[in-house]
Amino acid sequence: MSTSIKCIGVLTSGGDAPGMNAAIRSVTRSAIYNGINVKGIYRGYRGMISDEIEEFKTQNVSNIIQRGGTMLKTARCEEFRTPEGRKHAYETLCKHGIDSLVVIGGDGSLTGARIFAQEFNFPIVGLPGTIDNDLFGTDVTIGYDTALNTIMECVDKIRDTASSHERLFFIEVMGRDAGFLALNGAIASGAEAAIIPEISMEKDQLSEMIETGFRKSKNSSIVLVAESEITGGAIGVAERVKKEYPQFDVRVSILGHLQRGGSPSAQDRILATRMGVAAIDALLDDQRNVMVGIQNDEIVHIPFAKAIKKDKPINRELLNTLRVVST
């Protein structure tokens, strides 16, 4: 094992995701266990520039594993997008004696990490923290399971109203570029269909969905829609239905930031904890510019370039599963 790592900085960036606190806790305690100093960086990359950095001990991360959001806060930072801003950030890290980073976040966060690592030859390991589950190389991301459970619970409640009033509900869930939440949320909640960006939604498909899922044998239907320009979102789809099928009583519900909140599920806590330990192990093994992922319940290391640039495919069997059980 390498002994060159003396002090690790940990930050969360981008959209918050349930389980980020569990990851912060795991990174901190694993580093301390290995005799490495830890410093928490507040407000993501902005904190690297504004010098919002604090030394972390074991007690700093006590009683946070069950909390949603991120204790380190998160923020967007336009300045970090510039070479001057990144140089300032590097100088701040050097001032604090930080010689490696663990970055917890999604696609944009890992993109920033990759650029910074290349410019300054700086060791960085990323953890996939995003509810969208859209990072290539890992079966699941931190926060995805909790968000999926939140969607399921919300749809269960909406179904009570949908069935009472014989309505067609379009429920919008997050997933600007990926339909994992919409598709699996639909299966878990017993929805009739999912409209996702990976599958273009044509008029005949909409017609078929309504004929088989609403008019045929049911007095109400629920359809999950990913919030994408490709899908048009729940409002866009609902407007089409109102125009083409005015006989239906259509309603729209946008779950929005409800999906990000809440105490992380057991699965997300375990995943985040495993990944946090793996991040420290990777740095000690001189690995850098990699994202910790999980495949078939085994920890893997994915180069930033692959995790960011490759599209994560939807399991087409799940589409057929939803189609079969919604008839």
Side-chain angles (χ1 to χ4, degrees):
M1 277 195 172
S2 168
T3 56
S4 61
I5 301 295
K6 303 295 184 186
C7 182
I8 291 174
V10 57
L11 63 87
T12 52
S13 175
D16 62 294
M20 279 185 165
N21 282 323
I24 295 166
R25 172 182 179 271
S26 179
V27 167
T28 300
R29 294 192 169 180
S30 180
I32 292 171
Y33 176 84
N34 284 282
I36 302 169
N37 292 328
V38 185
K39 294 194 176 180
I41 302 169
Y42 290 89
R43 294 173 181 82
Y45 294 125
R46 184 197 293 178
M48 287 168 56
I49 295 173
S50 59
D51 199 354
E52 298 180 74
I53 298 175
E54 175 186 353
E55 184 171 2
F56 269 22
K57 301 295 185 183
T58 297
Q59 57 267 31
N60 289 93
V61 294
S62 295
N63 199 34
I64 67 168
I65 194 171
Q66 79 281 10
R67 286 164 50 187
T70 164
M71 65 166 292
L72 285 174
K73 312 299 182 185
T74 181
R76 299 193 182 280
C77 183
E78 290 300 319
E79 192 176 351
F80 191 77
R81 296 176 183 270
T82 68
E84 297 78 14
R86 292 190 293 273
K87 185 173 185 297
H88 188 175
Y90 176 71
E91 291 169 350
T92 303
L93 294 183
C94 291
K95 184 180 79 171
H96 284 272
I98 296 171
D99 52 23
S100 58
L101 282 177
V102 175
V103 174
I104 307 165
D107 183 88
S109 304
L110 298 189
T111 299
R114 182 190 181 206
I115 294 170
F116 187 82
Q118 289 175 336
E119 285 181 344
F120 301 100
N121 191 28
F122 203 85
I124 302 181
V125 169
L127 297 187
T130 168
I131 67 170
D132 292 341
N133 196 37
D134 60 349
L135 285 167
F136 181 86
T138 185
D139 292 341
V140 288
T141 57
I142 297 168
Y144 173 66
D145 183 69
T146 306
L148 200 55
N149 277 283
T150 298
I151 289 169
M152 179 183 70
E153 291 166 7
C154 289
V155 175
D156 285 349
K157 291 176 172 62
I158 291 172
R159 184 177 292 282
D160 293 341
T161 291
S163 58
S164 295
H165 296 272
E166 298 187 335
R167 285 171 174 165
L168 172 55
F169 261 92
F170 289 105
I171 302 174
E172 185 174 289
V173 301
M174 289 182 172
R176 185 173 63 251
D177 301 309
F180 296 98
L181 285 173
L183 178 54
N184 285 295
I187 293 172
S189 61
E192 279 64 48
I195 301 176
I196 60 177
E198 291 88 343
I199 308 297
S200 59
M201 190 65 182
E202 302 296 337
K203 181 174 181 281
D204 61 340
Q205 289 177 293
L206 180 61
S207 174
E208 180 184 7
M209 178 193 75
I210 291 177
E211 290 295 331
T212 58
F214 186 77
R215 184 182 291 171
K216 183 179 176 183
S217 60
K218 301 178 181 181
N219 61 3
S220 67
S221 283
I222 290 177
V223 178
L224 267 59
V225 185
E227 51 160 14
S228 167
E229 291 183 5
I230 299 173
T231 66
I235 292 175
V237 175
E239 287 175 350
R240 285 182 53 199
V241 173
K242 288 177 183 177
K243 184 184 297 183
E244 298 165 21
Y245 305 94
Q247 68 272 33
F248 294 122
D249 187 5
V250 178
R251 292 291 185 275
V252 170
S253 183
I254 299 174
L255 299 188
H257 287 83
L258 274 173
Q259 298 158 83
R260 289 198 185 281
S263 181
S265 66
Q267 183 169 325
D268 272 327
R269 298 183 198 193
I270 294 166
L271 177 68
T273 301
R274 291 180 66 187
M275 287 183 166
V277 171
I280 300 303
D281 288 343
L283 287 169
L284 289 171
D285 286 336
D286 284 328
Q287 297 203 51
R288 54 174 66 196
N289 305 342
V290 296
M291 179 193 79
V292 174
I294 192 158
Q295 296 177 6
N296 300 318
D297 205 33
E298 296 290 335
I299 291 291
V300 294
H301 302 102
I302 309 298
F304 281 156
K306 283 188 176 181
I308 295 163
K309 290 188 174 181
K310 286 198 172 184
D311 290 332
K312 185 174 181 179
I314 278 282
N315 185 343
R316 298 283 171 147
E317 288 184 12
L318 293 176
L319 288 166
N320 185 60
T321 296
L322 178 59
R323 190 176 299 112
V324 170
V325 299
S326 64
T327 54

